[in-house]
Amino acid sequence: MGVADGYRTRAEGLVENPFNGLLVFIGLYLVADLILKLSGVDVVVNVPGMGATKIMGGVEPLDSFLSKVINGILRGLIIGLAGIGLSMTYSILGFANFAHGDFITVGAFMGVMTSYIVAGVVGAATYDIGTLALMKVEASQLGLAITGGPLAFAAIVLGLLIAGVGTVGVVLLVDRLAFEPIRDRSSVSLLITSIGVALVIRYLVNFIWGIEKFSANSPGDTWELAIRGSEPANGLQRGPSTWEFVITELTGSIRVNAHDFTLLIIAVSLMLGVHVLLQTSKLGKAMRAMADNKDLARVTGIPTDRVIRFTWVLGGSLTGVAGYTWVLWSGTFGWYDGWLFLLLVFAAVILGGIGSIYGAMAGGLIIGLARDLSIIFIPSAFAKAFAFALMIVVLVVKPSGLFAGRTTA
Amino acid sequence: MSVGDSVPDRVSAVGSSDPAKIIGLLVFIYAVYLVAGSIAGINPVSNLTSLTRWIGLFAIAALALNLHWGYTGLFNIGVIGFMGVGVYVAAIVSKDPVAAGGGGAVGGATGGLGLPLPIGMLAGAVAAALFGLLVALPALRLRADYLAIVTIAVSEIFRLSVRNGNIASFDVGGLSVGFGGGDGLQLDWGSEVELLFDALLLGGVYDSLSATAERLIGSPVAVDRIGYALILLAFMIGYYALLRRIGNSPFGRVLKAIREDEEATNSLGKDTDRFKIIVFMIGCGLMGLVGVLWFMNAGGGGGSVNPTQFRPDTTFYIWVALIIGGAGSNTGSVMGGALFAAFLYRGPRFLQTVIDKLTETDLGSFARRTGFGEAMAPIAGSFDPIPLLLYAVTKIQSLQLLIMGLVIIYLMQNRPQGLLGHRKEQAAAISLSRPDRRSDGDRAVAADGGAEDE
Amino acid sequence: MSDTDIDPPEEAVQANVPEDADVDYEKAETQDSAAEEAAKHVPQAIPLQVENLSKRFGGLTAVDGASFEVEQGTLTGLIGPNGAGKSTTFNCVTGVLEPTAGTVRFNGEDITGLAPHQIADRGLARTFQIARELGEMTVLENLMLAPTHQRGESLWRSVLPFTRGSVVEQEEEVLEDVWETLDFFDIDHLADEYAGNLSGGQRKLLELARVLLTDPDVLLLDEPFAGVNPSLEERLLEHLHELREQGYTFLIVEHDMDLIMDNCERVIVMHQGSVLTEGTPEDVKADERVLEAYLGGEVET
Ligand SMILES: Nc1ncnc2c1ncn2[C@@H]1O[C@H](COP(=O)(O)OP(=O)(O)OP(=O)(O)O)[C@@H](O)[C@H]1O
Ligand SMILES: [Mg+2]
């Protein structure tokens, strides 16, 4: 690693100065542009030869902006939750785990399968267990929503639990079979192995559940936050709370449903839990030590095997739960989705600084927001590409990430 | 070990036997396919041409990747993106022109600049190389795992961008061109084989080949397939020769040294950044060319491209091929490409066809009727494994990826040098045995000392 | 090794003009007489000047305002207790690390912050304390790599048919030198071995052989004899003296005090990142602070 490190410092020094100014400029421009758009102002400049040209501004209704913010935060929470595990294994085991996206898939499938079985077998009982396990039913027919009564609630809670526990099981098995035998090999060997693991998991899921996406959405109550302006007619429609933003010239509403709140509560409480766990337990200290220097940690008597196992347990459970909350939030999930999601998680982890748990959380939020807010400035089809581009910029400009040096919590 | 006798033997032996090994392996693979195909009654021409297609494609792709990873240690997992740049640019350059406003994005019906196909291919390769430069300039100084993430992200950015409707079609100088958006692009080049033969002034050969095939087989399609197979073989030989030449040179020696220890190489006065940029561009250009050959219609590729085909999966196929052969060896790359194509990529599908023909089960309708649940039910009930086996056969395309995953894990754990073993090729333009001019008498001084410090 | 195979650096002392890529290697054959002439000169030029060099790693200051000079045609020793900052100094001088402060001059030119290859190109080369052999390349390949500006390092010249001939031709020349070096270093029996399979001492030898083949003017050697057997060590030292007489300059880090005192004209002592004292071996031996530094105490400067 010494080689690469030496190089990185040089590269950073070279790239940093000219680049940073440009980046700050772009950032300021975007903020200014956003403010103009929110106020519905066009900035038109008379360019000689081209006539009047719009250079900034436009229209971005507040409700649409706030929806994007909410979407971005929720997406960011899922990314962050999944990112914690990726970040921990990256720093403690020393490799970029390309199977991590498929761990998300495992969580989603195992969790939702459990929910289906619980809701279907205990409840309607019109479906046989095989159909339920393979999720060949619409979730709405099972009434699977957090607000759908005690049974549905229990099914979802149990699903969440199994999403975490089941993923831990799979992850530990994978570690035992695939990674442990080559623990001391180079990070590149482990990375390649993880690509193999990813293929095995993904296509096993495909083999069993097929290629259709399953859906698990019947979100129950929707709360609408009305944004009321000059047209009070568009006010609150249903739901318990009445929050009003009164802004002249702007009307509209933001929808938030019960599952969005569920996601918010789960993600925030789990992140707080991880924080407390790593700050107060010896485990956190051991993990920090191992991330710093594995050999040193071993000779100072840290039980490295146990720490590694804890890393997988903690990371795997959070990742599995992240998969389940993804289903709650978006309503659908397919065998390929976890893999497609992986790069966003990498983006978050790199942005936050590999090894830093707060970095992963913050990185998740930043990437989530960047992905959803970028739509204001660029065509929505480029949103994901933009998030990746952001990650590349961070890797090039500041490979240590924004929260560098704060390894594992 | 006595240097004097063993080394020259070894070097010359390797030199002559490498191509022989490749040919031996190919003969073996073709024999297996011919036998299995004839048992199942599969048309031998389509059997062998399609086999050749995949062997050729994976061999040249693995060779290009070997230049990056095997020689220089550049961890590129964005191969499909560079292939994509190649084929998209080739399409835009050499599709038939459509007047501005006349095309539109529908069904990939946009036109191109109407230049000859060979120019399009060249443009595709150059564009991929330039795209490589764009990636290389900021990213080549990154650690291997970061470079991996950057390259895969770049290939995804490419895929998401061409999928984007906003650049599906646009006008350039009165012509309607574009990337086709989610519908992809038609590669309506006509007979690419004829065009390429013509470009090599082999138009006559093509015509006579065509006439012969018409007479013997009665199908003009077969000519294109055979011609395409020949073209791929030519590319395979070309890539192999080029990469061997690069590898067996002082240039290749520096690449290897960079792979081993970039800082030490730099300290020896080699401008490692320059080498890495050049080699990254060359490799990307070669990948761009692979992209054009991969998707063109001639070999039965369907003659169109669609953004979903540029998901990272293909990149990993090529990686598996390279790992099987053993990164760092050009001969290994070709053999790995052939083994991968024959037994991991094409093999399972071939097996599926053979089983379909032999068992006379209508696998297609079975697949439509049967999901995993239906296949498992008989096992749970009456221990009847046949439906599950049949289900496995219908799902062989998922299973083969699962198997590839297992192969990767197995190789990384047990044979990190590749299935074919440690086959490093010596990086020098000449045999490195002791020059003849110096007779042993000169070296009396070296007689003492020796290996005491071992 | 006979005195024909290493190229005398007499030009580099007077002029600092980068040499043409092509002729650089070839001149190796021709200039022996000039070398003998150069060797007769009393050394006085100062090819390497280090001023106020500092290097910080986070909170730790590894090199702290070190200044020293190395005279042309000397074997200069650089000593100091473990952690004194000797290797870090080497790294900063040769561009492997960027110094936090200070300047490095080579033949009068400010080379601070240049990339390692640019510095090596100017004739200032180094070996590493922990040998940096290229493990999955054979010993032969390791050595063939070393000569700078080989024709075949241009991709086009290596690939194109009508230029390949000249590449092959030069390869043959390089190969002859490489075999001579192998013989001299007594590692000819390892020629086809992967460098990664060598013992620690053999790796150090390989690295020394390799850096000599780059034909530098000034060589920084970081503990070059660690693990090398004594008889070979003696022969290598003899060889270094021979080269020194031809005008080459050496700066050697070595913990073997006798070796330094017996072989070096000048000795620089580093302690806690700065230069404690500098002088002839006798001066240094007589300086009490040096002993104190080695005993680990705080030293007044
Ligand atoms: N890359 C680095 N990062 C952080 N600290 C470093 C680094 N390299 C060296 N150091 C520290 O700088 C100090 C000087 O180290 P250096 O290797 O230069 O000493 P030295 O004189 O060569 O010692 P030795 O005789 O043991 O080789 C040491 O305290 C070392 O731990
Ligand atoms: Mg040292």
Side-chain angles (χ1 to χ4, degrees):
Chain A
M1 215 70 135
V3 186
D5 287 345
Y7 260 74
R8 227 157 2 114
T9 47
R10 174 184 300 284
E12 257 179 82
L14 262 174
V15 177
E16 215 158 50
N17 307 330
F19 242 63
N20 278 357
L22 183 69
L23 290 180
V24 168
F25 174 77
I26 292 176
L28 288 177
Y29 171 87
L30 290 179
V31 170
D33 191 41
L34 176 64
I35 292 171
L36 291 172
K37 280 188 164 121
L38 285 173
S39 356
V41 176
D42 280 351
V43 177
V44 178
V45 173
N46 214 338
V47 182
M50 286 172 66
T53 312
K54 190 180 115 185
I55 56 158
M56 271 175 106
V59 187
E60 171 69 16
L62 187 64
D63 60 339
S64 127
F65 172 68
L66 289 178
S67 305
K68 286 181 187 120
V69 171
I70 290 175
N71 253 338
I73 289 175
L74 294 176
R75 191 192 305 276
L77 286 173
I78 301 176
I79 297 175
L81 210 50
I84 294 173
L86 184 63
S87 186
M88 287 194 311
T89 48
Y90 207 148
S91 69
I92 287 172
L93 290 140
F95 74 100
N97 181 9
F98 273 75
H100 195 79
D102 296 284
F103 292 163
I104 300 175
T105 309
V106 168
F109 272 80
M110 292 188 118
V112 176
M113 186 174 80
T114 308
S115 295
Y116 268 53
I117 292 176
V118 171
V121 170
V122 181
T126 43
Y127 305 102
D128 68 275
I129 200 161
T131 314
L132 291 168
L134 293 173
M135 293 178 274
K136 300 295 179 213
V137 203
E138 285 292 312
S140 51
Q141 285 170 311
L142 299 171
L144 260 183
I146 194 90
T147 49
L151 175 64
F153 186 81
I156 288 180
V157 170
L158 221 68
L160 265 169
L161 216 68
I162 296 298
V165 175
T167 309
V168 167
V170 169
V171 162
L172 286 178
L173 187 72
V174 162
D175 182 51
R176 178 76 198 76
L177 296 178
F179 299 129
E180 204 184 301
I182 51 170
R183 189 86 80 212
D184 51 352
R185 278 295 181 73
S186 73
S187 64
V188 164
S189 305
L190 284 156
L191 193 164
I192 296 175
T193 307
S194 78
I195 291 175
V197 171
L199 285 174
V200 172
I201 294 178
R202 196 177 326 141
Y203 285 91
L204 199 60
V205 170
N206 171 302
F207 183 77
I208 294 174
W209 281 281
I211 56 167
E212 306 104 54
K213 285 197 170 197
F214 66 80
S215 79
N217 202 28
S218 52
D221 286 337
T222 302
W223 291 281
E224 287 197 14
L225 306 181
I227 298 173
R228 301 215 311 185
S230 48
E231 281 177 79
N234 258 4
L236 193 73
Q237 280 164 0
R238 79 180 252 247
S241 58
T242 44
W243 298 339
E244 294 183 13
F245 299 87
V246 182
I247 294 165
T248 330
E249 305 299 329
L250 288 172
T251 61
S253 62
I254 325 156
R255 286 154 176 272
V256 191
N257 69 33
H259 285 178
D260 298 344
F261 275 110
T262 314
L263 159 59
L264 184 71
I265 292 165
I266 293 170
V268 170
S269 47
L270 282 179
M271 286 176 180
L272 281 176
V274 171
H275 166 77
V276 172
L277 180 70
L278 292 184
Q279 286 302 318
T280 55
S281 70
K282 266 194 195 156
L283 176 64
K285 215 186 261 175
M287 283 169 77
R288 282 190 286 278
M290 265 194 81
D292 279 350
N293 187 334
K294 217 178 294 179
D295 296 327
L296 194 65
R298 191 165 315 155
V299 296
T300 49
I302 289 172
T304 51
D305 284 344
R306 278 233 314 275
V307 175
I308 288 174
R309 199 148 343 112
F310 270 121
T311 307
W312 283 120
V313 168
L314 200 57
S317 55
L318 294 176
T319 308
V321 168
Y324 193 89
T325 55
W326 169 281
V327 183
L328 278 183
W329 176 62
S330 78
T332 64
F333 202 89
W335 64 284
Y336 209 82
D337 287 354
W339 164 248
L340 289 180
F341 198 59
L342 174 66
L343 265 189
L344 283 181
V345 182
F346 263 123
V349 167
I350 287 166
L351 195 71
I354 287 165
S356 160
I357 289 196
Y358 305 124
M361 298 175 194
L365 284 175
I366 295 172
I367 288 291
L369 281 170
R371 189 205 176 285
D372 284 85
L373 291 183
S374 66
I375 302 171
I376 298 171
F377 309 101
I378 54 175
S380 63
F382 280 120
K384 208 169 171 188
F386 174 76
F388 296 161
L390 191 64
M391 170 182 79
I392 295 177
V393 168
V394 170
L395 265 182
V396 170
V397 175
K398 199 166 183 340
S400 49
L402 300 178
F403 296 77
R406 314 191 65 220
T407 308
T408 309
Chain B
M1 177 180 79
S2 138
V3 179
D5 48 32
S6 68
V7 175
D9 290 358
R10 183 139 59 102
V11 171
S12 64
V14 168
S16 69
S17 71
D18 272 11
K21 276 183 186 155
I22 294 175
I23 291 168
L25 178 69
L26 290 181
V27 167
F28 169 72
I29 290 172
Y30 277 90
V32 169
Y33 266 71
L34 262 183
V35 170
S38 66
I39 291 172
I42 298 167
N43 177 340
V45 173
S46 66
N47 183 0
L48 292 193
T49 49
S50 126
L51 175 65
T52 309
R53 166 165 194 242
W54 291 115
I55 289 181
L57 289 175
F58 279 113
I60 57 177
L63 279 168
L65 182 60
N66 187 39
L67 186 62
H68 280 171
W69 170 243
Y71 265 91
T72 324
L74 297 173
F75 201 160
N76 178 0
I77 51 173
V79 180
I80 189 68
F82 298 106
M83 286 168 59
V85 170
V87 65
Y88 268 86
V89 169
I92 288 177
V93 168
S94 59
K95 268 163 71 87
D96 285 339
V98 168
V106 188
T110 49
L113 305 179
L115 296 170
L117 178 61
I119 292 183
M121 291 173 76
L122 197 65
V126 170
L130 291 176
F131 191 55
L133 176 66
L134 199 70
V135 178
L137 282 178
L140 278 188
R141 295 186 158 193
L142 297 175
R143 270 164 41 180
D145 48 347
Y146 288 180
L147 180 65
I149 291 168
V150 167
T151 49
I152 197 172
V154 162
S155 92
E156 282 289 277
I157 290 175
F158 164 80
R159 177 176 71 86
L160 295 167
S161 302
V162 295
R163 196 178 68 173
N164 183 349
N166 297 24
I167 50 171
S169 92
F170 46 88
D171 294 342
V172 172
L175 295 174
S176 165
V177 298
F179 295 93
D183 295 327
L185 285 177
Q186 294 295 325
L187 303 178
D188 42 9
W189 280 315
S191 167
E192 292 109 347
V193 175
E194 187 171 4
L195 292 174
L196 289 176
F197 270 76
D198 280 349
L200 293 171
L201 306 176
L202 293 174
V205 176
Y206 180 81
D207 290 340
S208 59
L209 213 68
S210 181
T212 323
E214 188 95 57
R215 191 156 37 78
L216 288 179
I217 312 164
S219 146
V221 184
V223 188
D224 268 15
R225 302 194 64 151
I226 294 169
Y228 177 75
L230 291 176
I231 288 172
L232 272 187
L233 282 179
F235 268 99
M236 201 164 99
I237 294 168
Y239 270 46
Y240 181 69
L242 174 69
L243 290 174
R244 263 186 90 113
R245 209 166 165 98
I246 293 177
N248 298 340
S249 77
F251 184 84
R253 202 150 60 217
V254 177
L255 301 186
K256 263 185 157 180
I258 290 172
R259 177 192 72 195
E260 293 302 310
D261 187 338
E262 180 174 357
E263 198 171 70
T265 311
N266 201 210
S267 290
L268 285 171
K270 314 296 179 196
D271 185 353
T272 46
D273 280 350
R274 183 182 76 92
F275 284 92
K276 282 163 74 180
I277 288 174
I278 291 177
V279 95
F280 197 72
M281 286 181 71
I282 300 278
C284 289
L286 292 175
M287 288 167 188
L289 203 51
V290 173
V292 187
L293 292 165
W294 192 290
F295 292 101
M296 64 171 46
N297 185 36
S304 68
V305 285
N306 183 295
T308 50
Q309 292 170 308
F310 296 90
R311 283 179 170 176
D313 300 35
T314 309
T315 300
F316 297 131
Y317 297 159
I318 298 166
W319 267 91
V320 178
L322 180 63
I323 294 172
I324 288 176
S329 154
N330 288 318
T331 306
S333 303
V334 175
M335 294 172 78
L339 280 172
F340 174 82
F343 297 115
L344 280 179
Y345 188 78
R346 178 124 172 81
R349 294 168 205 215
F350 183 70
L351 196 67
Q352 188 181 36
T353 321
V354 171
I355 291 175
D356 198 8
K357 295 237 164 144
L358 288 183
T359 59
E360 291 172 6
T361 333
D362 186 354
L363 284 178
S365 83
F366 178 84
R368 258 171 272 121
R369 278 183 284 111
T370 318
F372 184 71
E374 288 83 358
M376 282 301 278
I379 290 204
S382 55
F383 301 103
D384 177 9
I386 298 295
L388 183 63
L389 285 178
L390 281 177
Y391 176 76
V393 173
T394 62
K395 292 281 284 183
I396 211 144
Q397 310 209 359
S398 329
L399 280 182
Q400 79 181 100
L401 278 131
L402 201 157
I403 294 166
M404 280 179 212
L406 292 174
V407 168
I408 293 180
I409 298 170
Y410 172 82
L411 285 177
M412 292 320 290
Q413 288 185 352
N414 302 299
R415 304 290 306 245
Q417 321 292 3
L419 210 54
L420 305 170
H422 214 311
R423 310 179 35 78
K424 302 283 190 262
E425 285 144 15
Q426 213 155 33
I430 53 172
S431 149
L432 293 185
S433 53
R434 187 185 287 277
D436 297 336
R437 270 174 278 175
R438 318 232 147 211
S439 68
D440 282 21
D442 280 356
R443 287 181 286 120
V445 66
D448 66 311
E452 288 123 295
D453 64 326
E454 247 175 317
Chain C
M1 199 182 315
S2 70
D3 56 358
T4 54
D5 46 42
I6 294 290
D7 171 30
E10 92 292 338
E11 313 179 327
V13 184
Q14 299 126 10
N16 203 16
V17 191
E19 293 137 333
D20 184 305
D22 288 332
V23 295
D24 183 28
Y25 191 76
E26 289 160 352
K27 77 182 174 166
E29 313 273 324
T30 52
Q31 293 168 342
D32 303 283
S33 56
E36 271 141 32
E37 199 145 330
K40 287 178 198 123
H41 285 281
V42 183
Q44 57 208 172
I46 311 284
L48 182 63
Q49 286 169 293
V50 174
E51 285 160 30
N52 270 322
L53 191 74
S54 292
K55 178 70 192 177
R56 271 196 299 277
F57 296 109
L60 183 130
T61 305
V63 180
D64 191 4
S67 303
F68 59 88
E69 294 177 342
V70 178
E71 277 178 31
Q72 167 73 25
T74 59
L75 260 168
T76 303
L78 178 60
I79 62 171
N82 292 113
K86 307 178 295 289
S87 298
T88 308
T89 303
F90 271 21
N91 286 339
C92 290
V93 168
T94 55
V96 170
L97 291 173
E98 208 162 344
T100 315
T103 46
V104 180
R105 274 174 216 289
F106 184 61
N107 289 332
E109 181 196 8
D110 184 353
I111 57 163
T112 326
L114 291 185
H117 73 271
Q118 291 170 314
I119 293 173
D121 228 25
R122 284 161 172 72
L124 175 59
R126 58 89 56 89
T127 64
F128 292 87
Q129 179 169 359
I130 298 164
R132 302 282 281 270
E133 79 290 345
L134 306 166
E136 289 207 44
M137 295 168 73
T138 62
V139 168
L140 271 167
E141 284 177 303
N142 265 271
L143 295 180
M144 292 287 292
L145 174 76
T148 49
H149 299 296
Q150 299 180 39
R151 280 182 209 139
E153 284 172 14
S154 146
L155 176 64
W156 310 118
R157 263 186 263 171
S158 269
V159 168
L160 295 180
F162 43 90
T163 49
R164 178 87 172 179
S166 75
V167 170
V168 168
E169 209 173 281
Q170 196 185 44
E171 286 276 273
E172 275 156 8
E173 290 165 23
V174 174
L175 186 65
E176 271 193 44
D177 291 352
V178 163
W179 272 102
E180 262 182 52
T181 308
L182 278 171
D183 289 341
F184 181 82
F185 279 83
D186 242 2
I187 45 177
D188 54 330
H189 60 294
L190 298 169
D192 281 297
E193 194 62 66
Y194 284 112
N197 298 341
L198 303 187
S199 72
Q202 289 167 337
R203 289 176 202 200
K204 298 294 289 191
L205 282 184
L206 174 62
E207 191 169 35
L208 184 57
R210 193 174 65 188
V211 80
L212 284 173
L213 279 165
T214 67
D215 190 27
D217 305 330
V218 176
L219 252 167
L220 311 188
L221 305 176
D222 202 342
E223 304 188 18
F225 306 120
V228 175
N229 75 58
S231 70
L232 196 49
E233 177 184 307
E234 208 163 296
R235 232 152 47 74
L236 289 173
L237 271 168
E238 225 168 81
H239 183 57
L240 295 190
H241 281 295
E242 240 167 63
L243 292 171
R244 177 186 56 78
E245 274 153 28
Q246 293 168 22
Y248 289 85
T249 309
F250 297 91
L251 180 63
I252 302 184
V253 169
E254 183 52 62
H255 282 295
D256 180 345
M257 221 36 79
D258 292 337
L259 187 150
I260 290 286
M261 297 303 169
D262 292 350
N263 290 283
C264 296
E265 290 90 351
R266 298 196 64 80
V267 178
I268 301 164
V269 185
M270 275 188 85
H271 178 55
Q272 293 181 344
S274 18
V275 174
L276 184 65
T277 181
E278 186 179 353
T280 61
E282 291 72 33
D283 298 342
V284 169
K285 260 192 251 179
D287 195 327
E288 284 169 20
R289 292 174 305 169
V290 176
L291 187 63
E292 278 176 52
Y294 271 91
L295 293 177
E298 277 297 308
V299 181
E300 267 181 53
T301 35

